[in-house]
Amino acid sequence: MSLTIPDNGSRNNTNTPLTFLKKVFSRNDVSVICLLLAIVIKILLFFYFQQTDNDKLNQVMAGKNLLEGHGLTIKQVHISNLSKESYERLVGWPPAYSVLFAIIYSWCKDVDASSTIIDIICIISFFILLQKLLRQLKFPVYLINVLVLFYGCAITSYMEKSSPTDFLTLLFFVYNCYLTIKLFTQRKPVLQGILLGFFNVLPAWFRYMCIPVTFVIPCVLLWNGWLKKDRKLLLYGTYIMAMALLGVIALLSFQEPYVLATEKGLFWSNLLLLDPVLFSSFMNLKFILVQLSSLTGLSYTTGATILQWINLVPFLILLALLFFSSLKRKWLAANSWQVFMIIGTLTGICIFSVLALLSLRYSAHYGLTENLFWTYINEDRYFIILQFFIVILTAKWLFMNATAVSNFKKWFQGLFLFLFTIEILHGSYFLAKNFTFDKRNFTYIVTQNHMIQCIDNIIKENKKKNTDVVVAGNISMANRSVLLGGKGLFVPAELNENEIYADKPTRIIAVMKSSELPFYKPFLKKEGILLEAQIGAFYFYSYYVKPTTTLKD
């Protein structure tokens, strides 16, 4: 069995069921409509799910502090003196998103609006570049339009979690592939070469996982330049490799990659938790599994586990086939498609290898305040580039094959279009049914908004009494407290210390889930603890700290 994907265009018989689709979606006006629809729907979906929370909020706060002259830091307090604020270096995330946010925030001056503007810029850029890349790869117009519409309507996990850097890394992958193909196909691609040197290293500055990916493109250029004796490829390959080395060295000098604090060892069973990438590439698994559960009674967890097991071996076989397909050609690219294939294959293998290694070395059990279970290889948004590559690969194989289309392939063509249709209809229907500007349809967003309002009210009430408010326990709420004029304590374990000091009257608001209550038992036993509020599964405990004449060093 070998993976052979011809590079010439579609030659399907005009009597196939695809005739109507090709006829309608090959029109220029339909191309414009598909592009605009994809951009508008994607922006609305991003806006609907938008939350400046968790990982995003930490990076946003660092960007805000950078703009205010405090560097990439988080403003916080400690129990040694709750009245003394300090700016401590951001740990856990590369600096690029914070810097990008600071640039937008410098003229926008609104945290939520600034992160939304970044999303909008990325969305518009992505769909324009996606069209350009697919044209480079000689995709027929109708197939380009279908793919653009699919990506415009697809509801993804990174969108639902409102994570800041997933879509950005996909955008850079598309653009870097586009620029690399220009280097191979143009005689004097000076501007493209200069831009590629800069943009190739950017994904690593947004996500540590992309550090190995940074070296894929320069290695492809140098290898092809050396074997082909092509001075142009050697020159640009050397320049881009130098930029990659300098960029990665600078990044690692600035900050070491962060790994979730958990037990180290060899955890082979974690590898069985591999995300069902072959399924998640084409569909929203959460939506499909919920529908499957309601129709069959099969539990959501059981359905997800079945998909993981079905996916495991075929996914590894696919990676092996892709590797040996390029190896057979000695990793040499003769045209645009082969350039894309080599870059996509090596990038996919790098990402999978990094995630597999991390999952193998670190326990899936983690959490200081509660027992949680998570591992890198199970996080589907980490596979966003590989998912994109699989979709483009599949579309090429199914619809651009020069040989006669067998009944077997026709069945897969129908399945491919059926899955795309479900995603397009699901995204469109979701917006039509659920879109409201107050986002009242999502319990977790409503809960978050009520929590923020509660903290705002507490801060305002205590300011009238000349009392500081320090929010602890929940990192996002601690950050929100800082934004609202309060203070934040970011080390949860400090709450359990015997003595807490402050040189001003201070009220601690400890925000914790019911599952975290056992961890905070020493704190909750302190005299004077009051339950201020309960919002959803979160408890707001209040503790008043009197001014202390002798402060802890």
Side-chain angles (χ1 to χ4, degrees):
M1 183 178 181
S2 63
L3 186 70
T4 305
I5 302 177
D7 302 305
N8 35 343
S10 174
R11 300 181 187 177
N12 291 325
N13 191 290
T14 56
N15 295 323
T16 63
L18 293 175
T19 303
F20 177 75
L21 177 70
K22 292 179 180 179
K23 183 178 179 181
V24 172
F25 277 78
S26 294
R27 293 168 48 177
N28 291 331
D29 55 342
V30 173
S31 295
V32 175
I33 292 170
C34 286
L35 178 62
L36 293 177
L37 272 177
I39 291 173
V40 170
I41 291 174
K42 202 70 170 180
I43 288 174
L44 291 176
L45 286 171
F46 262 76
F47 179 76
Y48 188 82
F49 289 105
Q50 201 277 335
Q51 303 171 75
T52 308
D53 194 18
N54 298 324
D55 290 4
K56 180 186 284 187
L57 186 54
N58 277 296
Q59 295 175 78
V60 160
M61 295 301 290
K64 181 176 178 293
N65 291 335
L66 174 67
L67 190 65
E68 294 171 354
H70 303 290
L72 289 170
T73 57
I74 300 295
K75 188 179 181 182
Q76 53 191 290
V77 296
H78 295 279
I79 62 163
S80 57
N81 187 354
L82 293 177
S83 302
K84 182 182 179 181
E85 292 179 296
S86 61
Y87 290 88
E88 300 183 20
R89 190 174 184 177
L90 175 71
V91 176
W93 298 273
Y97 185 84
S98 298
V99 174
L100 178 60
F101 174 85
I103 294 170
I104 303 297
Y105 185 77
S106 64
W107 59 268
C108 181
K109 298 302 181 184
D110 184 277
V111 166
D112 295 308
S114 297
S115 58
T116 300
I117 289 170
I118 293 173
D119 290 338
I120 291 172
I121 293 171
C122 290
I123 289 166
I124 295 172
S125 302
F126 172 76
F127 284 106
I128 292 172
L129 290 171
L130 176 61
Q131 277 195 337
K132 288 179 175 291
L133 175 63
L134 293 176
R135 290 193 191 107
Q136 275 186 329
L137 300 178
K138 311 298 184 196
F139 272 55
V141 174
Y142 82 91
L143 195 52
I144 293 175
N145 292 333
V146 169
L147 288 164
V148 165
L149 204 54
F150 167 74
Y151 277 106
C153 297
I155 299 174
T156 60
S157 64
Y158 64 81
M159 189 189 303
E160 292 182 44
K161 295 176 182 177
S162 196
S163 55
T165 57
D166 296 298
F167 196 63
L168 269 166
T169 53
L170 178 60
L171 169 64
F172 288 131
F173 174 75
V174 171
Y175 189 44
N176 289 337
C177 286
Y178 171 78
L179 291 175
T180 306
I181 291 171
K182 287 284 188 182
L183 291 187
F184 272 85
T185 56
Q186 290 188 353
R187 289 186 61 190
K188 295 181 178 180
V190 178
L191 178 61
Q192 289 82 1
I194 294 171
L195 289 173
L196 184 56
F198 174 73
F199 281 99
N200 176 62
V201 79
L202 275 185
W205 281 73
F206 281 92
R207 170 160 285 171
Y208 291 125
M209 184 183 71
C210 291
I211 290 176
V213 176
T214 302
F215 299 99
V216 167
I217 288 176
C219 285
V220 170
L221 289 168
L222 288 170
W223 180 257
N224 276 261
W226 180 53
L227 288 187
K228 294 178 179 179
K229 302 189 186 312
D230 188 322
R231 293 181 62 188
K232 177 189 70 175
L233 295 182
L234 281 172
L235 175 64
Y236 284 111
T238 303
Y239 157 69
I240 295 166
M241 178 62 81
M243 289 290 288
L245 288 169
L246 288 173
V248 170
I249 290 171
L251 173 63
L252 296 179
S253 300
F254 177 80
Q255 191 175 75
E256 291 183 5
Y258 175 81
V259 177
L260 190 67
T262 183
E263 181 185 355
K264 290 181 70 174
L266 288 177
F267 303 93
W268 294 99
S269 60
N270 285 352
L271 301 181
L272 299 178
L273 300 174
L274 173 67
D275 176 77
V277 182
L278 297 180
F279 295 96
S280 60
S281 300
F282 300 96
M283 63 185 83
N284 183 318
L285 288 185
K286 183 181 291 185
F287 169 73
I288 297 297
L289 289 173
V290 167
Q291 303 309 312
L292 184 65
S293 179
S294 64
L295 290 173
T296 65
L298 185 71
S299 73
Y300 182 96
T301 304
T302 302
T305 303
I306 291 171
L307 290 182
Q308 284 180 325
W309 281 95
I310 294 173
N311 167 86
L312 187 59
V313 174
F315 174 75
L316 296 176
I317 291 174
L318 175 63
L319 286 185
L321 287 174
L322 290 170
F323 178 83
F324 287 109
S325 175
S326 294
L327 181 63
K328 188 177 179 180
R329 294 195 306 270
K330 298 181 180 179
W331 303 97
L332 294 176
N335 52 47
S336 300
W337 174 253
Q338 289 178 2
V339 174
F340 179 75
M341 274 282 290
I342 293 171
I343 294 173
T345 298
L346 292 175
T347 300
I349 290 172
C350 281
I351 291 172
F352 171 73
S353 299
V354 169
L355 296 176
L357 181 61
L358 289 171
S359 296
L360 179 64
R361 291 288 288 120
Y362 293 91
S363 171
H365 294 277
Y366 76 101
L368 176 64
T369 60
E370 58 180 330
N371 187 25
L372 301 172
F373 188 85
W374 174 89
T375 190
Y376 298 88
I377 207 167
N378 188 237
E379 186 68 58
D380 68 334
R381 62 190 181 90
Y382 288 170
F383 290 96
I384 183 172
I385 293 175
L386 194 49
Q387 290 168 340
F388 173 81
F389 181 58
I390 289 172
V391 169
I392 302 304
L393 189 72
T394 305
K396 176 82 170 179
W397 177 67
L398 287 177
F399 298 97
M400 298 175 65
N401 200 319
T403 59
V405 179
S406 64
N407 289 332
F408 178 75
K409 184 172 284 189
K410 285 180 181 178
W411 187 86
F412 272 102
Q413 285 179 339
L415 178 62
F416 182 90
L417 293 175
F418 174 70
L419 293 175
F420 269 37
T421 302
I422 289 178
E423 284 301 302
I424 292 169
L425 292 177
H426 176 223
S428 303
Y429 175 75
F430 179 89
L431 280 180
K433 180 182 178 183
N434 294 322
F435 190 83
T436 53
F437 288 95
D438 59 4
K439 304 179 182 179
R440 65 171 60 92
N441 294 306
F442 279 130
T443 302
Y444 66 89
I445 294 180
V446 173
T447 299
Q448 184 192 56
N449 290 338
H450 286 169
M451 291 169 69
I452 294 171
Q453 187 60 55
C454 178
I455 289 171
D456 189 32
N457 292 338
I458 292 172
I459 291 172
K460 288 177 179 176
E461 289 173 6
N462 281 274
K463 273 189 176 179
K464 295 174 184 176
K465 305 172 186 176
N466 197 30
T467 301
D468 288 346
V469 172
V470 174
V471 175
N474 183 284
I475 301 300
S476 293
M477 291 303 110
N479 273 316
R480 283 290 175 179
S481 172
V482 175
L483 283 173
L484 294 168
K487 298 174 181 177
L489 191 153
F490 290 82
V491 184
E494 289 190 14
L495 286 176
N496 290 333
E497 294 289 332
N498 292 328
E499 299 294 335
I500 299 178
Y501 301 90
D503 57 19
K504 285 182 61 180
T506 302
R507 185 167 300 279
I508 295 175
I509 302 297
V511 182
M512 56 191 74
K513 292 183 287 185
S514 56
S515 58
E516 296 175 313
L517 296 179
F519 173 81
Y520 289 109
K521 191 174 290 185
F523 171 75
L524 296 175
K525 287 182 177 179
K526 292 181 186 293
E527 186 178 351
I529 293 287
L530 297 173
L531 180 61
E532 191 85 18
Q534 182 180 352
I535 301 174
F538 291 88
Y539 294 85
F540 285 58
Y541 285 99
S542 172
Y543 179 64
Y544 181 74
V545 180
K546 296 179 181 179
T548 311
T549 54
T550 304
L551 296 178
K552 188 178 179 182
D553 292 333

